[in-house]
Amino acid sequence: MLVLNGSASIADVVALADRREQVSVSTRVVEAVDHAHRIAAELSTRLAIYGRTTGVGANRTTSVSPADTEYGMRLLRSHAVDAGDPLDDRTVRAMLAVRLAQLCVPGAGLNPKILSGLETMLNDDALPELRQYASIGTGDLAPLAGTALTLIGERPASKPLTPMEPWGADSALPFMSSSALTVGRGCLALDELSRLERASSVIYTLSFLALDGNPEALSSVATQASAAPYVATVADRLRALLATKGGPDRRPARIQDPYGLRVYPVAQATALASLHSLEEQLERTLNTAQENPLFDIENETVVHHGAFYQASLSLELDGTTLALALTAPITHSRIRMINDPDTNGGNAFLAAEAAGSSGLMMVEYVAAGAIAEIRNAAQPASAGTLVLSRGAEEDATFASQGAQQLERSTAAYRVLLCCELVGAVRLLRHRGLDDQFSGAVGDALALADVLPRGVDDRDLRGDIALAESLLDDIGRLVPEDTPP
């Protein structure tokens, strides 16, 4: 049982999204949220408070009577509109986990019964149906409004769910005032990419060994000369992977390797740095009350603000996607080397001897298609802007689009790594090296033993699919890095 005490981690969000944990909120947190609810109710009797005693957006100058008990439900119904394909259940659970964690930091001033409603949704897997298009980066209003309507019973849940009583203005806007879906998607993408980034180093090492790479580029002297963060982390990791017992002692094939081998530590370090920076921003957003308005419980006052504006998160999401776009061509360079008879010591495309055999030719094309998708997704979402609600929101960060683009880039990056893995394993087998290493390299080759050994031309779709099934386990062979 995961007990939320006002501080949650990305790992907690992923565990709840994967249904590996049940969740509850500590009594202390429930009491603190209840206290904040009472303070907010009292302040609402004597102060103008956005979304409680006024309309929202361009209607913010319109007063709403405290006697209007239907106002909260009207807000939820009007804001719940979305469109497009339904989001998958894992993504929805991630959003619910993030919103529950955020609400454990008192500041929204909403009814504490909503915490137990979210607990039940997650624990019973009774989920709202949410769709793709709605959010812009200043709050995931529609997905959260739709979630509220599901909790209340106006929309069906995926499993039976006891409906809550209708909500008032004390809870409607405060519940919606969050980027929980964007943060949840970012948490899931980060979790996957962290494993893929480590898997990349193992697969690079297989290619390095298969191509007799020159280790000088991985030395501490070369690392210092790069004058960039995390290069030492990547190079140390690679030297540890290469320090395998029983591996053949071979001379480098070249005095200076092509970029695919030589600059990997520098290029991959950009991805690692971006992942750590994104992790820090997601953790901050996950554990901060950002609702507008925000109730300052200690001083018993209300603050209207713009802290919900996800500029930093938007830039971090874009930066991670751009880092993948930078390092992806370096991976493709190694795939070309594996296919080139000038560097692989065998036939072009590691093909069979039969004249005209294509071997791994089309694997290189698949890799190029994946890179095209990564580059397309790397167009910064944060560079866009839009004016909404009659000018009340004159700039949207589009952080939500940045999260979606990172998801696309991550999926394509998986394909790219699969293509390199298939080629590196075939070349090691061609050279009779696939059973000569221990340590993490040997473990990776043992996992890859499921890949077919034949080199005659055939449909390689299955090879890539098998390689894809190995990536997460290969990533787990490398310990998580400690930030420098």
Side-chain angles (χ1 to χ4, degrees):
M1 176 68 71
L2 176 61
V3 180
L4 297 179
N5 286 299
S7 178
S9 68
I10 292 169
D12 294 335
V13 173
V14 175
L16 291 172
D18 288 339
R19 302 215 72 212
R20 289 185 281 108
E21 288 278 5
Q22 295 273 289
V23 67
S24 68
V25 176
S26 72
T27 302
R28 178 185 63 80
V29 167
V30 174
E31 290 173 350
V33 172
D34 181 59
H35 177 64
H37 181 232
R38 286 184 276 111
I39 294 293
E42 192 279 326
L43 290 170
S44 299
T45 64
R46 53 188 174 86
L47 297 175
I49 297 178
Y50 178 77
R52 287 185 179 232
T53 67
T54 75
V56 299
N59 293 330
R60 64 189 182 278
T61 58
T62 302
S63 296
V64 177
S65 169
D68 186 353
T69 58
E70 293 295 318
Y71 176 51
M73 291 305 301
R74 292 204 309 274
L75 270 184
L76 293 174
R77 291 168 186 144
S78 62
H79 281 68
V81 60
D82 54 10
D85 294 331
L87 299 178
D88 65 88
D89 289 352
R90 186 170 184 258
T91 298
V92 174
R93 286 192 292 266
M95 183 201 76
L96 297 175
V98 169
R99 193 64 189 119
L100 182 57
Q102 290 174 329
L103 291 175
C104 289
V105 183
L110 47 56
N111 191 324
K113 292 180 180 178
I114 292 172
L115 301 182
S116 61
L118 289 175
E119 282 181 7
T120 300
M121 263 190 166
L122 281 164
N123 291 335
D124 294 353
D125 204 30
L127 306 179
E129 182 189 86
L130 308 179
R131 299 189 178 183
Q132 186 74 20
Y133 301 114
S135 301
I136 58 169
T138 51
D140 294 321
L141 302 176
L144 290 165
T147 299
L149 293 182
T150 306
L151 283 167
I152 295 162
E154 290 199 3
R155 281 187 177 177
S158 60
K159 293 180 181 178
L161 184 69
T162 301
M164 299 180 67
E165 294 293 324
W167 294 6
D170 62 333
S171 298
L173 180 63
F175 182 76
M176 292 189 288
S177 189
S178 163
S179 294
L181 176 57
T182 300
V183 174
R185 296 177 92 153
C187 289
L188 295 182
L190 175 71
D191 177 70
E192 181 177 3
L193 266 178
S194 296
R195 284 192 303 278
L196 294 181
E197 191 281 319
R198 297 195 299 276
S200 170
S201 288
V202 179
I203 297 168
Y204 165 87
T205 303
L206 298 180
S207 296
F208 185 96
L209 292 167
L211 294 163
D212 289 329
N214 191 326
E216 291 175 13
L218 312 180
S219 68
S220 59
V221 173
T223 295
Q224 293 171 8
S226 68
Y230 290 95
V231 179
T233 303
V234 175
D236 289 349
R237 179 199 295 170
L238 296 175
R239 290 197 299 271
L241 286 169
L242 288 167
T244 55
K245 295 179 181 179
D249 184 15
R250 295 181 179 273
R251 296 174 61 86
R254 295 157 293 276
I255 188 173
Q256 182 162 278
D257 283 327
Y259 276 21
L261 293 175
R262 184 158 40 113
V263 306
Y264 175 86
V266 182
Q268 197 65 18
T270 64
L272 186 56
S274 293
L275 287 172
H276 280 299
S277 188
L278 174 60
E279 178 182 19
E280 291 170 359
Q281 184 59 40
L282 287 169
E283 291 271 10
R284 286 191 291 267
T285 310
L286 175 61
N287 291 294
T288 302
Q290 293 186 309
E291 295 83 7
N292 180 45
L294 183 65
F295 291 94
D296 180 353
I297 307 306
E298 181 178 354
N299 296 303
E300 297 191 4
T301 188
V302 64
V303 178
H304 294 86
H305 61 87
F308 55 85
Y309 183 73
Q310 300 295 347
S312 294
L313 179 56
S314 181
L315 288 172
E316 296 296 349
L317 292 164
D318 282 347
T320 304
T321 307
L322 284 165
L324 291 180
L326 184 150
T327 193
I330 304 302
T331 303
H332 196 262
S333 172
R334 294 190 296 278
I335 294 171
R336 291 198 311 272
M337 291 178 68
I338 288 168
N339 283 346
D340 190 338
D342 290 339
T343 46
N344 70 16
N347 295 333
F349 308 110
L350 293 177
E353 294 294 336
S357 293
S358 297
L360 301 179
M361 179 191 293
M362 292 310 297
V363 171
E364 187 175 325
Y365 281 66
V366 171
I371 291 174
E373 174 68 359
I374 292 170
R375 285 176 170 167
N376 182 266
Q379 175 64 35
S382 52
T385 186
L386 203 64
V387 178
L388 298 164
S389 191
R390 296 172 52 211
E393 293 190 25
E394 62 267 36
D395 182 34
T397 67
F398 292 99
S400 54
Q401 184 63 35
Q404 294 175 44
Q405 289 176 200
L406 183 57
E407 289 172 347
R408 288 169 48 203
S409 187
T410 301
Y413 190 55
R414 289 190 76 94
V415 173
L416 181 61
L417 294 182
C418 291
C419 292
E420 182 180 6
L421 178 59
V422 167
V425 169
R426 182 179 285 204
L427 180 53
L428 285 167
R429 289 172 175 174
H430 170 77
R431 299 188 59 191
L433 302 176
D434 57 304
D435 61 352
Q436 297 191 35
F437 300 98
S438 60
V441 171
D443 292 341
L445 287 168
L447 289 170
D449 194 54
V450 299
L451 294 174
R453 290 184 171 269
V455 297
D456 291 336
D457 281 357
R458 64 177 189 279
D459 181 355
L460 293 171
R461 176 191 284 181
D463 295 56
I464 292 177
L466 278 172
E468 194 280 332
S469 71
L470 304 177
L471 290 183
D472 291 308
D473 286 337
I474 289 175
R476 294 185 182 99
L477 296 174
V478 177
E480 293 188 26
D481 300 300
T482 302

